[in-house]
Amino acid sequence: MKTEIVHSLTSTFEGHAQQTDGGVEYWLARDLQFLLGYAEWRNFGAVIAKARIACEVSGHPVSDHFVAVNKMVELGSGSQREVDDIMLTRYACYLIAQNGDSKKQEIAFAQTYFAIQTRRAELIEQRLLDAERISARRKLSATEKELSDVIYEQAGGNQDFALIRSKGDQALFGKSTQAMKAQWKVPESRPLADFAPTIVLKAKDFAAEITIFNAREHRMASEGAISQEHVTNNEAVRKTLLDRGIRPESLPAAEDVKKVERRLASEDKKSLKNPDGLDS
């Protein structure tokens, strides 16, 4: 396919993209019909039907990607008539392209266009999740350092910090730190938190923040008092998680957060060298 045709089709497809009030990108099926080279709505409807089945088979809710709507169209006489239409997500468009007539130049282009756009969206979403986890890990580190400082200031030494944190883990997971390390296959020299999923990092951080607040508020001056406070807070956080159907000790380990940091840093360097590139 010639470069000028590719650029023209890219501009045309992107020009027909719209957004909901919530910022979700979509295309209207009757616009896509002509973009993909289908003159008859009936024939295009058969392609949409196949795409719906493919969506369902893939495990995605069809109603999330194919939304029936009505719109007014101009008739030759100058009057208007209401017709059925469908709001399509990028993923729905991709499925339609995959089920279309590949001999059509427009379909051949759309199959690649929407595949790349869908992949790009997935990469962006994963990067945001990775960045959120890194941020949660750094926040927990800062909170635990503050807790260590509080123990040192009020209990006369921060040698008790590791013990207090361990008791907090026991209360949160219902298992010891060592047991969770063994379960998640965490190297002995590494902190458990480096392999914890984001929800666990935030849970540990919340419990530690409450411990810091109450330790200062009530001027707790012993390891025993601060330790009991920390256990109570982790037990309360665990109860909240269990009430919402989340059992922290049953969650799978996440990727080593240090590896995630290195990967994102590497991707940033690559993007500076090749701003238009897309990793596969």
Side-chain angles (χ1 to χ4, degrees), residues 77-97:
S77 61
S79 60
Q80 292 186 325
R81 178 168 63 89
E82 188 176 66
V83 297
D84 296 333
D85 208 338
I86 306 170
M87 291 170 61
L88 305 166
T89 64
R90 184 191 298 110
Y91 181 63
C93 292
Y94 165 71
L95 293 177
I96 289 171

Side-chain angles (χ1 to χ4, degrees), residues 10-267:
T10 299
S11 177
T12 301
F13 274 84
E14 291 179 352
H16 280 81
Q18 302 182 52
Q19 282 195 344
T20 65
D21 292 339
V24 178
E25 191 177 40
Y26 72 91
W27 282 257
L28 287 172
R30 288 187 182 271
D31 291 338
L32 192 66
Q33 170 193 345
F34 294 106
L35 292 176
L36 295 181
Y38 284 85
E40 297 290 334
W41 174 252
R42 180 184 59 184
N43 295 336
F44 190 59
V47 179
I48 294 175
K50 292 180 181 178
R52 285 177 183 271
I53 295 172
C55 184
E56 184 175 7
V57 169
S58 69
H60 295 280
V62 175
S63 59
D64 286 355
H65 298 278
F66 298 79
V67 181
V69 294
N70 295 315
K71 72 175 184 179
M72 302 301 294
V73 296
E74 295 284 344
L75 300 178
S77 61
S79 60
Q80 292 186 325
R81 178 168 63 89
E82 188 176 66
V83 297
D84 296 333
D85 208 338
I86 306 170
M87 291 170 61
L88 305 166
T89 64
R90 184 191 298 110
Y91 181 63
C93 292
Y94 165 71
L95 293 177
I96 289 171
Q98 290 299 312
N99 284 277
D101 182 358
S102 59
K103 294 190 294 294
K104 293 179 179 292
Q105 180 174 255
E106 297 90 344
I107 288 287
F109 169 80
Q111 287 176 345
T112 300
Y113 174 80
F114 284 111
I116 290 175
Q117 292 295 322
T118 300
R119 177 59 176 156
R120 180 176 288 128
E122 291 173 349
L123 290 173
I124 291 172
E125 181 180 14
Q126 185 57 53
R127 185 180 177 85
L128 290 172
L129 291 173
D130 287 341
E132 181 185 10
R133 180 160 171 259
I134 290 171
S135 176
R137 179 65 183 100
R138 289 173 179 171
K139 174 62 171 61
L140 176 60
S141 293
T143 301
E144 289 187 334
K145 182 181 184 305
E146 186 177 0
L147 177 57
S148 177
D149 291 342
V150 168
I151 296 168
Y152 179 80
E153 294 164 4
Q154 298 184 194
N158 58 9
Q159 67 273 12
D160 295 323
F161 171 68
L163 175 62
I164 292 173
R165 180 172 59 183
S166 179
K167 288 181 179 180
D169 284 348
Q170 178 73 47
L172 179 65
F173 294 106
K175 294 182 177 182
S176 69
T177 303
Q178 287 305 118
M180 287 305 302
K181 275 192 167 188
Q183 180 175 316
W184 283 351
K185 296 181 173 58
V186 177
E188 185 59 35
S189 61
R190 298 290 302 283
L192 178 68
D194 281 355
F195 296 81
T198 304
I199 186 67
V200 170
L201 292 172
K202 292 185 175 182
K204 285 171 65 67
D205 183 67
F206 184 46
E209 287 280 16
I210 299 173
T211 301
I212 291 168
F213 179 85
N214 280 339
R216 285 176 170 156
E217 187 76 5
H218 301 292
R219 300 184 182 278
M220 297 175 184
S222 69
E223 179 273 328
I226 298 176
S227 183
Q228 184 55 53
E229 173 67 24
H230 198 46
V231 167
T232 298
N233 295 331
N234 275 278
E235 286 176 343
V237 171
R238 174 179 174 80
K239 182 178 184 305
T240 299
L241 292 173
L242 293 178
D243 287 346
R244 303 308 303 159
I246 302 169
R247 186 170 290 275
E249 69 274 20
S250 298
L251 296 175
E255 182 182 6
D256 181 353
V257 75
K258 299 299 183 185
K259 289 184 179 180
V260 177
E261 288 179 319
R262 289 195 294 269
R263 183 174 68 248
L264 263 57
S266 175
E267 290 173 358

